[in-house]
Amino acid sequence: GFGVSASMPFYVVYAKTELGVTEEMAGVYIWAMTLGGAVASVVWGYLNDSRGPRAVLRGTTALLIATPLLALSIPAVVSVVARPMPAVGVALPYLFGLVFVAIGSSILVFVAIGSSINALWFGATNYLFDLAGDEDRPRYIGVFHLCTLPATLGAIIIGWLLEHVSFAAVFLLVASCGAGALLSSLRMPKSSEQG
């Protein structure tokens, strides 16, 4: 979840500094994120039951790619459409809420915000538990936690990057990380639940 979880605080900063969105919209964005998580939890649960945790990981990884691309494309599309129809420009702060719907759908809103768990965590741990035998599970989970270190440091890394490059460059980097994760997921073996 490096892409979305590490960059999540910066989407609000981007909206305020680059798009001129008011601080009051933060409440709307939290609402959008919560709604996205609530709806997505049903979808991810069904997908996990019907296709297995590997499908959940792939779906949430696809959203890791979509989220930063939405953050860049929504303002660009609104700008183009607002030229002949200026009233559309007023909708930008609300349309940007789709970014937070995608965040909520992929991260499922952390416990601090709501009562759901992280969809990536859900998919990854279910996949590992299913893939590993009883004897190997502690080792698999230990390696998994070690591999999450970049995500833990992600917000610091992104904050540092934003001092040197643009939001667009950082968001494209986040989307690239998501694309790399999606490509890696294509090589994941099927778990026993997937037959």
Side-chain angles (χ1 to χ4, degrees):
F2 170 79
V4 174
S5 63
S7 60
M8 187 168 38
F10 300 102
Y11 289 107
V12 174
V13 174
Y14 171 72
K16 281 180 54 182
T17 60
E18 303 292 313
L19 307 179
V21 172
T22 63
E23 287 185 29
E24 291 78 21
M25 286 301 295
V28 173
Y29 295 153
I30 290 172
W31 177 84
M33 197 166 59
T34 304
L35 179 64
V39 171
S41 64
V42 174
V43 174
W44 297 136
Y46 173 78
L47 192 60
N48 186 68
D49 291 345
S50 65
R51 308 256 334 256
R54 185 173 69 161
V56 173
L57 286 172
R58 287 181 179 165
T60 55
T61 303
L63 282 171
L64 292 179
I65 300 165
T67 301
L69 297 179
L70 276 172
L72 294 173
S73 62
I74 289 171
V77 169
V78 168
S79 174
V80 169
V81 174
R83 287 185 192 134
M85 300 172 5
V88 173
V90 175
L92 175 61
Y94 298 98
L95 291 172
F96 196 75
L98 292 172
V99 171
F100 293 89
V101 170
I103 290 171
S105 297
S106 59
I107 292 189
L108 284 188
V109 190
F110 291 103
V111 174
I113 298 171
S115 60
S116 299
I117 60 170
N118 183 318
L120 285 169
W121 187 259
F122 171 76
T125 53
N126 280 349
Y127 179 76
L128 284 177
F129 281 149
D130 195 51
L131 191 63
D134 289 338
E135 293 177 12
D136 293 329
R137 281 187 186 146
R139 195 168 339 145
Y140 274 59
I141 297 301
V143 171
F144 175 71
H145 284 290
L146 179 64
C147 292
T148 62
L149 182 61
T152 304
L153 300 173
I156 295 168
I157 294 167
I158 289 178
W160 179 82
L161 281 172
L162 284 171
E163 291 180 10
H164 304 285
V165 297
S166 68
F167 278 99
V170 169
F171 291 162
L172 289 173
L173 174 65
V174 168
S176 298
C177 289
L182 185 60
L183 289 174
S184 294
S185 77
L186 298 177
R187 296 183 311 203
M188 292 170 62
K190 288 185 177 183
S191 65
S192 62
E193 287 182 11
Q194 295 166 295

